């Protein structure tokens, strides 16, 4: 996304894509027999129509948008990507492996990923915090709120 | 009314409730103070903990969190020169120069004291205004509710961002997500893709956690590598009272009153709240306070008073439409709405009729939380200053884990955790494309209310939409919405043309 114009155009296309998706699935909503003019599809149809209008408006206005290059706000995409993958894996393993292990590992790795470049990750400190937080949260939920978090592999605690 | 008040006091002053409220205030202030943590996150995290409490206690804790977090932003605004939340942006303007002059304690004292004053004024206003509105609203039918929800959505979509298209899209997308699940009235399944999990639709808590917490973690990831340890200013807190004199207090009364009114009014309007009111009040007072106009921004106590009175005055304001109509104006009140719903209570005019003791418990809780905030924030200042030193790359992942647990705790299914992730991704895309998040949330929350009342109203009117315009209140809101919309469109077109001629001249 080098210019405001490009960014605006991409956004317009995304809006239209969402509109298309929503429209298609709106027409797949089953209707009850003999339903009124106003039925379960009415509001989704109105919303879909609005999305189309908004997407077109966005594309029309984007034509006149600034073509100067955007300030390079250095987005650290590597860290973002690592964080995103880590979160997805964490959630995917949340139930099968269990809260304690996944949370400990998630926290430990996430601390490392987010450590500022001018600092050295303090592995021991990170490890201790990860352990303490996971155990603390688990115990509170399990024993004082009666919410049983997924036990996964550790079934004795 | 006095009897209800006494009952409210009795509820709030139970030891269990008080302890929780103290805790709520402390956590609220911390979430307000630490940049990157917000009121919404504080309440989203605590909401699951209140499921097991009785409604009065649960809401008391959430109110304490809310009030604490709106005020807490001033701590970092003054000590860190970064506002902890958008509610304290204007506090930075004068907080920093005062700190540089060695008046840090005075700045903090004024901030804390006027947060207190702003909240008290707005809560008293809430107590007197809300029952009156409830009395009128009791006669509202589907037509009125539909009109008011559309009006709210329009306001929030246009006020919360620079781009009208993006604001409205955000709201429409929120409405679209609200259509997932079983349709109102005829119970048709929509957008469930054959799954059971989707037939209940998405839970508001998953939307909020995803939009506000997950996207925050990802945002931190963008800049984490470059982050420097935060530089928390040291302040000698040994001052008399709150650091300012009685004379200054008397001098500042007009500023405080103007700011409180601005805060209250902006709080009542859907879509804008403390994040806007502090800036508006600052500008209003700068213009109205002619004698000192030049001193604003150079370390004038009136600047801090404007900002901090107004942002907290918005708290009481925002509670008015929530409690009387069941219409939330921002993320925080959307969660409070969820808190009512968890206990099977629908806020609205009937709340005042059927749950009188609960209503007054909430009023009392607001007052008590305000006092707690004053005491805890002032005397615990050095502790909050220390919390600011905790690096964000440690704090945010922990908050994220708590969010995941909260989402899971909803109904013990991983589906909700995945939903959090989906909304987190949406939230992140929103930040990339500068789409405001608030309209999405309000669209989502008001979606089923708007649709149910629309369809009910149409049914009652034999499918004749014009019938909405025959009810005076519904018609007034709809016509205002329409006129306002046209005004915004015209303004937007003019803006575009101005830009075009400007760039034309440049070439």
């Amino acid at each position: 996304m080098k210019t405001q114009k490009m960014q605006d155009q991409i956004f317009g296309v995304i809006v239209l894509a969402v509109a298309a998706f929503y429209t298609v699935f709106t027409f797949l909503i089953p209707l009850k027999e003999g339903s009124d003019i106003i039925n379960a599809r009415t509001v989704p149809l109105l919303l879909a129509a609005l999305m189309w209008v908004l997407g077109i408006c966005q594309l029309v206005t984007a034509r006149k948008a600034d073509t100067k290059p955007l300030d390079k706000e250095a987005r650290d995409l590597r860290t973002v990507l690592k964080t995103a993958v880590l979160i997805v894996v964490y959630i995917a393993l949340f139930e099968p492996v269990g809260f304690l292990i996944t949370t400990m590992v998630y926290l430990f790795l996430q601390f490392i990923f987010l450590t500022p470049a001018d600092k050295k990750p303090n592995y021991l400190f990170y490890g201790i915090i990860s352990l303490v937080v996971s155990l603390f949260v688990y115990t509170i939920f399990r024993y004082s709120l009666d919410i049983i978090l997924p036990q996964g592999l550790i079934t004795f605690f | 009314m006095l009897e209800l008040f006494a009952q409210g006091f009795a509820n709030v002053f139970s030891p269990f409730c008080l302890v929780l409220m103290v805790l709520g205030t402390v956590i609220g202030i911390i979430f307000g103070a630490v940049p990157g943590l917000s009121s919404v996150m504080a309440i989203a995290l605590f909401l699951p903990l209140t499921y097991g409490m009785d409604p009065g206690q649960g809401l008391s804790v959430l109110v304490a969190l809310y009030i604490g977090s709106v005020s807490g932003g001033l701590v970092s605004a003054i000590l860190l020169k970064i506002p902890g939340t958008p509610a304290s942006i204007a506090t930075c303007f004068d907080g920093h120069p005062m700190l540089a002059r060695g008046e840090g304690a005075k700045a903090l004292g004024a901030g804390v004291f006027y947060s207190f004053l702003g909240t008290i004024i707005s809560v008293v206003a809430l107590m007197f205004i809300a029952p009156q509105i409830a009395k009128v609203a009791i006669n509202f039918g589907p037509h009125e509710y539909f009109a008011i929800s559309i009006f709210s959505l329009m306001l929030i979509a246009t006020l919360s961002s620079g781009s009208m298209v993006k604001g409205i899209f955000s709201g429409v997308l929120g409405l679209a997500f609200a259509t997932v699940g079983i349709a109102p009235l005829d119970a048709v399944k929509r957008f469930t893709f054959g799954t059971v999990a989707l037939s209940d639709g998405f839970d508001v808590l998953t939307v909020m956690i995803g939009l506000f917490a997950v996207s925050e973690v990802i945002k931190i990831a963008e800049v984490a590598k470059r982050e420097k340890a935060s530089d928390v200013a040291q302040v000698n807190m040994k001052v008399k009272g709150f650091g300012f004199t009685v004379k200054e207090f008397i001098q500042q009364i007009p500023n405080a009153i103007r700011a409180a009114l601005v805060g209250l009014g902006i709080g009542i309007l859907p879509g804008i709240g403390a994040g806007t009111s502090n800036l508006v009040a600052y500008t209003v007072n700068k213009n109205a306070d002619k004698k000192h106009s030049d001193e604003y921004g150079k370390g004038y106590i009136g600047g801090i008073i404007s900002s901090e009175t107004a942002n907290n005055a918005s708290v009481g304001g925002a509670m008015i439409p929530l409690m009387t109509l069941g219409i939330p104006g921002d993320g925080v009140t959307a969660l409070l709405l969820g808190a009512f719903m968890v206990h099977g209570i629908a806020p609205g005019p009937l709340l005042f009729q059927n749950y009188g003791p609960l209503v007054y418990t909430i009023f009392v809780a607001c007052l008590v939380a305000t006092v707690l905030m004053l005491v805890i924030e002032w005397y615990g200042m050095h502790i909050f200053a220390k919390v600011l030193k905790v690096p964000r790359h440690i704090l945010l992942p922990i908050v994220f884990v708590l969010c995941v647990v909260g989402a899971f705790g909803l109904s013990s299914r991983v589906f909700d955790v995945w939903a959090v992730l989906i909304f987190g991704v949406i939230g992140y895309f929103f930040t990339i494309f500068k789409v405001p998040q608030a309209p999405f949330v309000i669209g989502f929350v008001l979606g089923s209310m708007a649709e149910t009342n629309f369809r009910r109203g149409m049914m009652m009117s034999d499918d004749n939409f014009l019938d909405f315009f025959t009810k005076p209140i519904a018609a007034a809101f709809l016509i205002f919405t329409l006129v306002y919309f046209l005004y915004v469109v015209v303004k937007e077109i003019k803006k575009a043309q101005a830009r075009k001629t400007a760039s034309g001249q440049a070439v």
Side-chain angles (χ1 to χ4, degrees), chain B residues 345-367:
Chain B
I345 301 168
L350 286 172
L351 185 73
F352 288 77
Q353 223 171 45
N354 302 345
Y355 294 97
L358 176 65
V359 170
Y360 280 86
T361 303
I362 294 172
F363 289 164
V364 173
C366 288
L367 294 174

Side-chain angles (χ1 to χ4, degrees), chain B residues 152-455:
Chain B
S152 309
L153 275 168
M154 179 51 84
L155 274 190
I156 195 165
T158 48
L159 289 178
S160 52
S161 87
S163 157
M164 185 189 65
V165 172
K166 286 177 181 170
I168 297 179
F169 175 69
S170 174
V172 170
L173 198 63
L175 286 167
F177 269 97
T179 59
V180 175
I182 290 169
L185 305 197
D186 53 10
V188 171
K189 277 190 189 165
R190 297 188 294 194
F191 309 107
T192 58
F193 302 102
T195 60
V196 182
L198 277 173
S199 60
D200 290 338
F202 295 99
D203 190 278
V204 64
L205 192 61
T206 62
V207 176
M208 305 295 284
I209 291 175
L211 232 46
F212 291 94
V214 177
S215 65
E216 203 61 46
V217 175
I218 300 179
K219 260 195 273 178
I220 292 292
E222 279 184 353
V223 292
K225 288 279 167 212
R226 282 181 274 132
E227 194 154 275
K228 298 273 173 283
S230 43
D231 192 12
V232 183
Q234 291 289 332
V235 171
N236 177 14
M237 296 295 289
K238 286 203 180 91
V239 286
K240 220 172 123 199
F242 288 95
F244 54 88
T245 60
V246 176
K247 199 180 145 210
E248 279 172 310
F249 175 75
I250 295 171
Q251 233 174 31
Q252 294 298 335
I253 288 176
N255 275 338
I257 292 178
R258 276 191 296 262
L261 290 177
V262 167
L264 188 66
I266 288 184
I268 294 174
L269 285 180
I272 45 178
T276 313
S277 68
N278 71 94
L279 290 163
V280 174
Y282 188 89
T283 320
V284 166
N285 276 345
K286 192 181 168 178
N287 293 331
D289 192 1
K290 294 229 158 52
K291 258 198 225 155
H292 305 278
S293 245
D294 299 337
E295 294 171 44
Y296 279 82
K298 292 175 191 156
Y300 181 53
I301 191 172
I304 291 185
I305 290 171
S306 311
S307 169
E308 286 304 319
T309 311
N311 65 17
N312 269 73
S314 297
V315 171
M319 300 277 284
I320 292 177
L322 171 74
M323 288 179 74
T324 57
L325 299 167
I327 292 186
D330 59 9
V332 175
T333 39
L335 278 172
L336 290 180
L337 179 72
F340 278 102
M341 299 295 198
V342 164
H343 295 288
I345 301 168
L350 286 172
L351 185 73
F352 288 77
Q353 223 171 45
N354 302 345
Y355 294 97
L358 176 65
V359 170
Y360 280 86
T361 303
I362 294 172
F363 289 164
V364 173
C366 288
L367 294 174
V368 172
T370 317
V371 177
L372 286 177
M373 181 262 292
L374 177 75
V375 176
I376 294 174
E377 194 168 22
W378 181 240
Y379 291 102
M381 192 56 83
H382 57 284
I383 300 172
F384 297 121
K386 281 215 181 74
V387 174
L388 288 181
K389 285 192 176 148
V390 177
R392 287 199 294 173
H393 72 272
I394 302 285
L395 214 49
L396 264 146
I398 296 177
V399 169
F400 174 71
V401 165
L402 292 172
C403 290
V404 169
V405 173
F408 181 82
L410 274 175
S411 46
S412 296
R413 41 180 205 171
V414 181
F415 167 77
D416 288 319
V417 184
W418 284 113
V420 165
L421 196 63
I422 292 172
F423 291 112
V425 172
I426 294 177
Y428 183 62
F429 272 103
F430 275 19
T431 56
I432 290 181
F433 289 102
K434 298 191 185 74
V435 179
Q437 293 163 331
F440 182 93
V441 172
I442 301 304
F444 179 79
V445 173
L446 289 185
S448 79
M449 175 180 171
E451 182 174 10
T452 309
N453 286 305
F454 171 67
R455 288 182 64 186

Side-chain angles (χ1 to χ4, degrees), chain B residues 12 16-25 27-28 42-43 46-47 49-50 53-68 336 365 369:
Chain B
V12 173
F16 180 62
C17 195
L18 267 185
V19 168
L20 284 172
M21 282 184 72
V22 169
L23 195 71
T25 311
I27 307 237
I43 294 182
F46 261 66
L47 192 55
L49 306 188
T50 65
M53 302 176 192
D54 80 61
Q57 288 174 341
L59 282 159
S60 299
V61 179
L62 298 178
V63 162
L65 279 164
Y66 185 13
I67 292 176
L336 290 180

Side-chain angles (χ1 to χ4, degrees), chain A residues 104-156:
Chain A
M104 249 182 277
V105 176
Y106 165 75
L107 282 177
F108 187 70
L109 292 176
Q110 184 75 81
F111 291 151
I112 295 173
F113 290 170
L114 295 182
T115 306
D118 57 349
K119 269 195 210 148
K120 261 198 171 156
N122 184 344
Y123 295 110
L124 180 68
F125 177 63
Y126 289 174
I128 293 172
I129 300 188
S130 313
L131 186 75
V132 170
V133 169
S134 321
L135 282 175
F136 181 72
V137 172
Y138 186 81
T139 322
I140 292 262
F141 271 77
R142 175 89 169 77
Y143 295 101
S144 71
L145 297 168
D146 287 325
I147 294 173
I148 300 178
L149 296 167
Q151 290 187 308
L153 304 176
I154 301 179
T155 47
F156 51 85

Side-chain angles (χ1 to χ4, degrees), chain A:
Chain A
M1 276 169 279
K2 296 212 179 64
T3 67
Q4 185 64 47
K5 185 174 176 176
M6 273 164 79
Q7 199 190 32
D8 282 358
Q9 281 174 333
I10 293 171
F11 182 69
V13 173
I14 292 177
V15 173
L16 289 181
V18 174
F21 178 83
Y22 195 72
T23 311
V24 168
F25 283 95
T26 295
F27 280 108
L28 292 178
I29 295 174
L31 287 182
K32 295 227 160 127
E33 263 177 62
S35 43
D36 297 316
I37 318 166
I38 308 291
N39 54 42
R41 276 187 200 170
T42 314
V43 169
L45 275 178
L46 281 172
L47 295 176
L50 260 173
M51 286 183 202
W52 284 106
V53 173
L54 289 170
I56 291 165
C57 280
Q58 176 68 24
L59 283 179
V60 170
T61 48
R63 280 172 42 206
K64 293 181 209 131
D66 225 333
T67 46
K68 273 186 287 217
L70 281 179
D71 294 335
K72 262 207 174 156
E73 305 163 43
R75 279 211 170 87
D76 183 359
L77 281 178
R78 266 192 59 180
T79 313
V80 170
L81 209 63
K82 277 200 284 189
T83 300
V85 171
L86 184 64
I87 290 177
V88 171
V89 173
Y90 172 48
I91 293 177
L93 296 181
F94 193 65
E95 196 154 52
V97 179
F99 173 81
L100 277 173
I101 297 176
T102 46
T103 303
M104 249 182 277
V105 176
Y106 165 75
L107 282 177
F108 187 70
L109 292 176
Q110 184 75 81
F111 291 151
I112 295 173
F113 290 170
L114 295 182
T115 306
D118 57 349
K119 269 195 210 148
K120 261 198 171 156
N122 184 344
Y123 295 110
L124 180 68
F125 177 63
Y126 289 174
I128 293 172
I129 300 188
S130 313
L131 186 75
V132 170
V133 169
S134 321
L135 282 175
F136 181 72
V137 172
Y138 186 81
T139 322
I140 292 262
F141 271 77
R142 175 89 169 77
Y143 295 101
S144 71
L145 297 168
D146 287 325
I147 294 173
I148 300 178
L149 296 167
Q151 290 187 308
L153 304 176
I154 301 179
T155 47
F156 51 85
F157 183 57

